[in-house]
Amino acid sequence: MDVLIVFLPLVGAILAGLFGKLLGDRGSQVVTCSLLIAAAVLSVFVFFDVGLHGHARTTQLFTWFDSGTFELNWALRVDTLTAVMFCVVTIVSAVVHVYSVGYMAEDRSIPRFQSYLSLFTFFMLMLVSSDNLVQMFFGWEGVGLASYLLIGFWYEKPSACAAAIKAFLVNRVGDVGFALGIAGIFLLFGAVDYDTIFQAVPGQADTVLHVFGRDWHALTVLCLLLFLGAMGKSAQLGLHTWLPDAMEGPTPVSALIHAATMVTAGVFMVCRLSPIFEYAPDALTVVTIVGASTAFFAATVGLTQNDIKRVIAYSTCSQLGYMFFAAGVSAYGAAMFHLMTHAFFKALLFLGAGAVIHAMHHEQDMRKMGGLWRKIPVTYTLMWIGSLALCGFGIPGLDIGFAGFYSKDMIIEAAFAAHSGVGDYAYWLGVIAAFMTAFYSFRLLFMTFHGKTRADHHTFDHAHEAPKVMIWPLFVLATGAVLAGAVFYGLFVGEGQLAFWNGAVFSRSDVLEAAHHIPEWAKVLPMVMTLAGIGLAWLMYVRSPELAPKAAAAFRPLYLFSFRKWYFDELYDRIFVQPALYLGRGFWTTGDGAVIDGLGPDGVAAATRDIAQRASRLQSGYLYHYAFAMLIGVVVLVTWYIFSAL
């Protein structure tokens, strides 16, 4: 069963990719969707078998490396952590596959698109089921490749190609750190399989590495290198710039990348390696600070964006920050809980945005929308559900709310319960980010669906609901966005957490237990901030829409700082891109043109060709010319002989 879950998407990718012309558009869709749905159903069975009954196992497939004393097997490690990811990845991917049947109906390359989606899913499943770091790296790089193919799927658009290259290159920065971390793990432990490493970690807790003339705590250095890889994949502050540009791909791609696959890989990796991170408290401090800073930063940028998909993209970046600072305060169960609930409501929001874009004839600018709730009431209702789940709307005292209420509040409470400087830092930034999340979520909802339409009459008059093949899959996600938090709270972070996780992550029951006993004001404050954000969005975009442009004008420097995304792109362009272009042009004109070409094709080769052309003129074909040349040669030789004898 485990093997089928992992490899069914690969079979679909191969069939649609290599035999797409034979299968046709409809055949490719049927094959890939059917195999993903089958994988999703099997994943649910595995979740119950492993997560609820504790039947964790490792399946050895074959020997991958056998060199000297180093032997590495290709194996599938299926424990609770894997089972959770199986469900998240396959269910969301199956929904995206079915949704794509309607969204991509008019595309010219449907088999290629379906193949790429399935390939993406296979690599992610390989990543989460890996039994060792090298196998994880295979899946890690695989999702990077698949994301490049999907973001740049519409390769006729220069912006799509640029976005794909940007995602690929930024992720390579993080991947260098990840690769160095894996190499360092092997250097320290002599192995890369998880069981061997985790058993040996306590014995290496005080080991130091002597590098660059000084001693460093080994596990801290290795964890920071591994986290650098997570920062790239999960778009944390500094390596986040690729994520908004990934919106250039088709909307189903955005949902798959942002909800269930690529961006969650970093969070999964930190949780999988939690037994190592727990022995590197300084590294966990960095994880907490980076995560909390990212949650705050991305939320500030989401306040002012006008592209409907980019608002949701920055929301993803912010929510990933929450997951990381949960892991940073050792609340790994809470991080995975939010990862799971987030997958449902974020996929719902992205695919709902796709339904809006479909209704508006590919328009994505919210300033050209408005008044759509009458035209597409089903999509409107589903977007309400997604937005409330993202905001974490609920009633703290009664513990009733949407999925995000249970998972995000648990993260914020765990940060408060850490009773540390970085824990307080994460708590307060998380609370402020909760206010901004509510504001930008309902700003999106109100600008898109309420007020008078700002679209041209033709577009608005012809706006209509998406076809059923696009709408019905959203109800699956909406169900998760409403119920997943309440249903799984007890297992992930409640009384049943130790039995549920069963050692799949480093369980710190004391952290989550303390989170249940923080002061009431600390529990209620996030909900108060959420209601304040919703109320402010209603005031500025429904009750008094003239306030928004006035506020932007009154606080123009802050508005531009947010709208320009803290000028990260401009800063990186100045620091990295322009110097690289300058250096490249210098090597081209001076190195390649003057030196290589000058001495090569334009130098020695040109001189040889010129001499040969001149020499060829001596070949006249007349006998007397050759006899004269021979005579001259004899005269020269005799003259040289005579003078040399003197």
Side-chain angles (χ1 to χ4, degrees):
M1 189 181 296
D2 305 335
V3 175
L4 287 175
I5 292 171
V6 173
F7 288 98
L8 282 177
L10 178 61
V11 173
I14 292 172
L15 291 175
L18 299 182
F19 305 102
K21 289 186 178 180
L22 182 63
L23 293 172
D25 292 351
R26 182 62 66 196
S28 298
Q29 291 168 338
V30 169
V31 167
T32 52
C33 291
S34 300
L35 292 174
L36 253 299
I37 293 172
V41 172
L42 293 174
S43 296
V44 173
F45 283 112
V46 168
F47 177 80
F48 281 101
D49 184 43
V50 176
L52 301 184
H53 298 113
H55 296 158
R57 63 261 184 176
T58 299
T59 304
Q60 304 287 343
L61 299 182
F62 55 85
T63 299
W64 192 10
F65 290 105
D66 189 357
S67 176
T69 59
F70 179 62
E71 182 176 346
L72 185 64
N73 294 318
W74 193 289
L76 302 181
R77 180 190 184 94
V78 181
D79 54 12
T80 305
L81 189 59
T82 305
V84 169
M85 292 303 296
F86 271 179
C87 286
V88 169
V89 173
T90 56
I91 291 173
V92 173
S93 184
V95 168
V96 169
H97 273 72
V98 175
Y99 178 93
S100 299
V101 172
Y103 192 87
M104 303 294 289
E106 299 177 1
D107 198 86
R108 296 175 298 171
S109 303
I110 290 174
R112 179 165 62 92
F113 183 75
Q114 296 293 124
S115 175
Y116 288 170
L117 284 182
S118 293
L119 185 66
F120 200 165
T121 307
F122 161 72
F123 280 124
M124 189 62 189
L125 292 172
M126 183 57 68
L127 188 157
V128 301
S129 63
S130 61
D131 184 50
N132 57 77
L133 287 168
V134 177
Q135 193 175 328
M136 178 189 278
F137 193 71
F138 169 80
W140 191 274
E141 292 303 300
V143 292
L145 167 65
S147 70
Y148 172 80
L149 296 173
L150 284 168
I151 295 169
F153 179 77
W154 287 326
Y155 56 83
E156 300 90 346
K157 294 170 55 180
S159 58
C161 294
I165 293 171
K166 185 175 183 180
F168 197 80
L169 291 178
V170 173
N171 272 275
R172 296 292 73 70
V173 176
D175 291 352
V176 169
F178 190 27
L180 289 174
I182 294 173
I185 290 285
F186 181 72
L187 176 67
L188 190 62
F189 296 98
V192 291
D193 62 286
Y194 300 143
D195 287 337
T196 303
I197 296 169
F198 296 161
Q199 291 172 8
V201 166
Q204 300 288 350
D206 299 320
T207 303
V208 296
L209 293 175
H210 189 75
V211 183
F212 303 127
R214 60 169 295 183
D215 292 333
W216 307 80
H217 183 240
L219 292 181
T220 299
V221 171
L222 297 181
C223 286
L224 289 176
L225 288 172
L226 294 169
F227 179 60
L228 183 61
M231 287 178 63
K233 273 290 180 290
S234 296
Q236 293 301 281
L237 186 63
L239 296 179
H240 68 279
T241 53
W242 68 270
L243 195 65
D245 291 356
M247 298 302 97
E248 290 292 338
T251 299
V253 173
S254 305
L256 194 57
I257 290 177
H258 285 245
T261 53
M262 184 169 170
V263 296
T264 60
V267 179
F268 168 82
M269 185 260 280
V270 172
C271 291
R272 170 62 81 196
L273 302 180
S274 55
I276 306 176
F277 276 85
E278 278 300 307
Y279 285 90
D282 291 341
L284 285 179
T285 298
V286 173
V287 173
T288 306
I289 293 172
V290 171
S293 302
T294 304
F296 175 81
F297 153 76
T300 64
V301 177
L303 298 174
T304 56
Q305 301 306 302
N306 296 311
D307 185 303
I308 188 170
K309 288 172 62 177
R310 285 181 181 265
V311 174
I312 304 173
Y314 276 105
S315 167
T316 298
C317 194
S318 181
Q319 297 304 305
L320 289 165
Y322 278 99
M323 299 175 207
F324 274 113
F325 79 68
V329 296
S330 299
Y332 301 104
M336 289 304 301
F337 188 31
H338 195 52
L339 185 154
M340 185 270 291
T341 60
H342 174 264
F344 287 107
F345 58 72
K346 187 51 59 67
L348 175 61
L349 286 171
F350 264 116
L351 298 184
V356 172
I357 295 168
H358 181 273
M360 294 297 292
H361 301 282
H362 305 291
E363 179 58 67
Q364 296 182 198
D365 192 334
M366 297 185 299
R367 294 171 296 183
K368 299 179 181 178
M369 298 181 186
L372 284 175
W373 74 270
R374 295 184 182 88
K375 292 286 187 177
I376 47 175
V378 176
T379 302
Y380 172 62
T381 304
L382 291 167
M383 290 292 283
W384 258 94
I385 293 172
S387 298
L388 288 171
L390 172 61
C391 294
F393 185 83
I395 305 174
L398 301 177
D399 288 335
I400 298 174
F402 290 81
F405 165 73
Y406 294 91
S407 58
K408 188 168 72 175
D409 277 25
M410 175 50 69
I411 288 175
I412 295 174
E413 291 164 12
F416 185 92
H419 298 300
S420 63
V422 292
D424 293 341
Y425 175 80
Y427 174 81
W428 286 108
L429 287 191
V431 168
I432 297 170
F435 166 78
M436 293 187 286
T437 300
F439 178 83
Y440 67 64
S441 296
F442 279 83
R443 173 180 176 265
L444 180 153
L445 201 65
F446 295 145
M447 286 184 70
T448 303
F449 294 100
H450 288 263
K452 296 181 180 179
T453 184
R454 297 173 296 279
D456 63 80
H457 293 297
H458 177 77
T459 300
F460 183 76
D461 291 341
H462 289 80
H464 57 83
E465 287 285 10
K468 292 181 180 179
V469 73
M470 291 174 62
I471 291 296
W472 284 110
L474 301 189
F475 284 94
V476 176
L477 300 173
T479 302
V482 174
L483 299 177
V487 171
F488 295 106
Y489 179 86
L491 293 176
F492 278 77
V493 295
E495 294 179 356
Q497 58 168 306
L498 289 178
F500 175 71
W501 289 113
N502 194 24
V505 298
F506 193 97
S507 296
R508 288 283 302 274
S509 57
D510 58 314
V511 174
L512 294 178
E513 180 62 28
H516 294 293
H517 301 290
I518 65 173
E520 280 300 317
W521 68 264
K523 291 184 178 181
V524 173
L525 185 57
M527 194 64 240
V528 172
M529 299 295 279
T530 295
L531 292 174
I534 295 173
L536 183 61
W538 176 83
L539 177 65
M540 296 182 68
Y541 293 96
V542 177
R543 178 69 176 82
S544 304
E546 71 278 0
L547 289 178
K550 289 181 179 179
F555 301 98
R556 187 155 184 79
L558 287 176
Y559 171 79
L560 290 177
F561 190 65
S562 169
F563 183 72
R564 301 296 296 180
K565 299 158 288 189
W566 289 28
Y567 297 98
F568 266 100
D569 284 325
E570 290 81 356
L571 181 64
Y572 285 178
D573 183 72
R574 180 69 61 86
I575 296 176
F576 300 114
V577 178
Q578 292 304 322
L581 287 174
Y582 178 80
L583 188 64
R585 288 195 185 99
F587 280 128
W588 172 39
T589 56
T590 305
D592 188 60
V595 179
I596 298 176
D597 288 346
L599 296 178
D602 299 332
V604 175
T608 303
R609 185 177 61 251
D610 183 63
I611 293 171
Q613 288 176 345
R614 293 177 181 273
S616 67
R617 296 175 184 172
L618 299 176
Q619 306 299 317
S620 65
Y622 293 108
L623 184 61
Y624 56 86
H625 285 171
Y626 301 146
F628 179 73
M630 292 172 64
L631 179 61
I632 294 298
V634 170
V635 171
V636 170
L637 287 173
V638 170
T639 303
W640 172 78
Y641 179 76
I642 292 173
F643 279 97
S644 63
L646 294 177

